[in-house]
Amino acid sequence: MTTVPDAAPDAAPPRGLTWRLTDRTVEDVRLEADALPERPAPGALVGGSGRGVRVCVVDSGVDGTHPLVGAVAGAHVVRKDEDGTIRVDPLKADDRGDLCGHGTACAGIVRRVAPDCEIHSVRVLGERFSGTGDVLLAGLRWAIREGFEVINLSLSTTRTRFFEGLHTLADEAYFGRSVIVASAHNTPVESFPWRFSSVVSVGSHLEEDPDLHLYNPEPPVEFFGPGANVEVAWLGGGTVRSSGNSYATPFVAGLCARILSERPRLTPFQLKHALYLSAANVHLGGDR
């Protein structure tokens, strides 16, 4: 989990709200829903391979030449001009994909868990994990409005001025069926957006099983993934060992991609339920 500075709130986009059904019947709003995935066998990962699901890593960029990451389907960068103008540009061919390694580490974990997913990147952090809140907001807003099915955000901020803008974006993603998988802070402090119920919030566990996730019966952190002494992809094509909620988060993002590749019409709250049912510590009636 990486912390970024403050930013101005984001304005809510124009949106048509349905306050009640008018001149429509039950049949007019009939939906065909996917069933939840079958509960996996012990030690098995839930869902498919991630095929057909686009995962956007909002971070320091991604090195698409790293053997543990593979092809990056799209790479963008958020730039802030001297006059304060912020824009999202496609990454140029001569521009470095990742400036500090953090995004590549996250992308490598997503790839391991969901090998056939489509990975995209939007760079909001620079060298030495530098960044600003308004740049983060712009990158997250872009990812949501591009309609990515899963957005990995191993970032948070402790600045309360960030709250309103992030809350608006988190709700927009939720109702637009983009799942934000957000890392909790590594220390017991308030930070955002993982605190919002509209995102999938993730902390790390200390279990040795690299494919195990847990449901937290005492939220606001909802799920725990492997985040202790994890071998992760890093700059230069190599790996390092590191710990933190940053690395548990893309594990859960990869699980989301696996589930959605098998059940693409699941809504965010159904997806949370699928993660809950497949958690190693959740026992159904009849389980021992």
Side-chain angles (χ1 to χ4, degrees):
M1 189 283 310
T2 296
T3 307
V4 297
D6 200 3
D10 180 48
R15 191 181 190 91
L17 298 177
T18 302
W19 297 105
R20 62 180 181 177
L21 291 179
T22 304
D23 300 325
R24 286 190 287 175
T25 68
V26 172
E27 287 302 314
D28 293 327
V29 293
R30 179 184 175 90
L31 296 173
E32 296 295 333
D34 271 347
L36 291 175
E38 295 293 329
R39 185 175 173 88
L45 292 177
V46 66
S49 66
R51 185 175 300 279
V53 178
R54 300 176 306 149
V55 180
C56 185
V57 178
V58 180
D59 211 286
S60 62
V62 173
D63 178 3
T65 68
H66 198 291
L68 296 182
V69 174
V72 174
H76 288 74
V77 57
V78 182
R79 302 188 190 278
K80 187 173 184 179
D81 296 334
E82 293 183 0
D83 63 0
T85 301
I86 296 176
R87 65 184 191 279
V88 181
D89 294 332
L91 207 63
K92 297 179 181 178
D94 59 350
D95 202 349
R96 290 167 57 191
D98 188 349
L99 298 182
C100 67
H102 193 258
T104 297
C106 293
I109 294 170
V110 172
R111 179 67 74 200
R112 180 182 76 81
V113 178
D116 293 330
C117 76
E118 190 176 285
I119 291 180
H120 294 252
S121 166
V122 56
R123 193 171 74 201
V124 298
L125 295 179
E127 293 179 313
R128 292 184 289 277
F129 303 95
S130 61
T132 62
D134 50 357
V135 167
L136 173 60
L137 275 172
L140 181 59
R141 185 187 305 113
W142 177 86
I144 293 168
R145 295 180 185 176
E146 285 293 309
F148 291 105
E149 289 83 6
V150 181
I151 299 170
N152 186 88
L153 190 66
S154 291
L155 311 171
S156 76
T157 180
T158 59
R159 304 292 181 87
T160 55
R161 286 179 55 195
F162 225 159
F163 183 99
E164 183 180 346
L166 280 173
H167 199 284
T168 298
L169 287 175
D171 280 354
E172 182 181 341
Y174 182 85
F175 291 119
R177 297 177 67 159
S178 288
V179 178
I180 298 175
V181 186
S183 173
H185 204 282
N186 285 322
T187 58
V189 299
E190 291 281 4
S191 63
F192 313 101
W194 71 269
R195 289 280 284 155
F196 304 147
S197 59
S198 51
V199 308
V200 175
S201 55
V202 184
S204 56
H205 62 63
L206 303 180
E207 302 295 324
E208 294 183 358
D209 189 340
D211 293 326
L212 180 140
H213 78 284
L214 304 171
Y215 172 72
N216 181 14
E218 299 178 351
V221 171
E222 294 176 297
F223 299 99
F224 298 115
N229 197 31
V230 180
E231 185 176 13
V232 297
W234 209 253
L235 299 182
T239 63
V240 299
R241 285 199 172 270
S242 189
S243 300
N245 295 339
S246 283
Y247 310 123
T249 301
F251 176 83
V252 174
L255 290 182
C256 289
R258 291 180 68 97
I259 294 168
L260 289 172
S261 71
E262 191 176 74
R263 297 287 190 270
R265 293 194 299 272
L266 292 184
T267 63
F269 77 86
Q270 288 176 306
L271 183 58
K272 283 192 181 191
H273 190 50
L275 290 171
Y276 165 79
L277 289 178
S278 58
N281 62 319
V282 173
H283 299 277
L284 304 181
D287 284 356
R288 292 185 179 183

